[in-house]
């Protein structure tokens, strides 16, 4: 068994363990199956401080982390573009990156300040591998309403 085969099996077993854990917890996974193409998404509220001293202002934020895993393709030389938008607002963000070849994953972090109540978060992404294969998708979910 080669190193690549071992890494593939290890990733498959880890993905199955996550899937079993999420199923046992009564939740559905944020990614589409165990191929690792759609990201695992984590959102949580936080507070950032803008300014200093008497002019410091507490800003409620939704911290968004996306974790992409490359299981069925060689991660080296990949290109990933991720865009989040909040339809109906001017809030958006774009990040570019690639898989870490040693870890076969890529993590993107966003901070959305003053997240509007009752809004939808839209995450669009495209992954391109050097062999010419590509994958894109758009995922939506409720935006967290974070307050002070």
């Amino acid at each position: 068994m080669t190193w690549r085969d071992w890494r593939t099996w290890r990733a498959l077993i880890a993905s199955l363990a996550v899937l079993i854990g999420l199923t046992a917890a009564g939740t559905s996974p944020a990614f589409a199956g165990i191929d690792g193409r759609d990201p695992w998404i984590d959102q949580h509220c936080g507070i950032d401080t803008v300014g200093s001293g008497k002019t410091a202002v507490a800003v409620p934020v939704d911290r968004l982390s996306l974790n992409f895993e490359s299981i069925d393709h060689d991660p080296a030389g990949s290109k990933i573009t991720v865009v989040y938008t909040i339809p109906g607002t001017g809030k958006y963000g774009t990040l570019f990156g690639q898989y870490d070849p040693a870890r076969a994953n890529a993590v993107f972090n966003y901070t959305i300040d003053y997240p509007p109540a009752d809004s939808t978060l839209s995450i669009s992404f495209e992954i391109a591998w050097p062999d010419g294969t590509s994958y894109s998708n758009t995922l939506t979910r409720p935006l967290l309403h974070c307050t002070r």
Side-chain angles (χ1 to χ4, degrees):
M1 181 178 290
T2 68
W3 168 249
R4 183 174 168 84
D5 293 335
W6 173 248
R7 189 173 66 181
T8 300
W9 277 106
R10 191 175 78 198
L12 178 62
I13 291 168
S15 295
L16 286 172
V18 168
L19 182 60
I20 290 167
L22 289 171
T23 303
T27 62
S28 59
F31 50 86
I34 59 173
D35 63 0
R37 289 185 179 165
D38 285 352
W40 175 77
I41 301 170
D42 178 48
Q43 286 180 266
H44 61 276
C45 290
I47 298 290
D48 282 353
T49 304
V50 178
S52 62
K54 291 183 180 184
T55 61
V57 176
V59 176
V61 295
D62 182 354
R63 297 188 202 285
L64 176 67
S65 293
L66 308 170
N67 182 21
F68 292 85
E69 294 186 9
S70 181
I71 295 172
D72 55 353
H73 289 281
D74 183 1
S78 61
K79 303 228 182 295
I80 305 171
T81 304
V82 183
V83 177
Y84 85 80
T85 57
I86 303 170
T89 73
K91 294 185 180 289
Y92 67 91
T94 303
L95 289 175
F96 303 95
Q98 60 189 39
Y99 289 108
D100 176 343
R103 295 183 179 195
N105 80 328
V107 177
F108 295 86
N109 295 302
Y110 293 102
T111 300
I112 303 168
D113 60 342
Y114 298 106
D118 301 323
S119 292
T120 300
L121 177 65
S122 177
I123 302 165
S124 299
F125 60 91
E126 180 173 17
I127 306 168
W129 289 276
D131 65 3
T133 305
S134 65
Y135 178 74
S136 61
N137 199 1
T138 298
L139 307 171
T140 58
R141 62 179 11 184
L143 182 67
L144 294 180
H145 178 61
C146 304
T147 59
R148 294 182 204 203

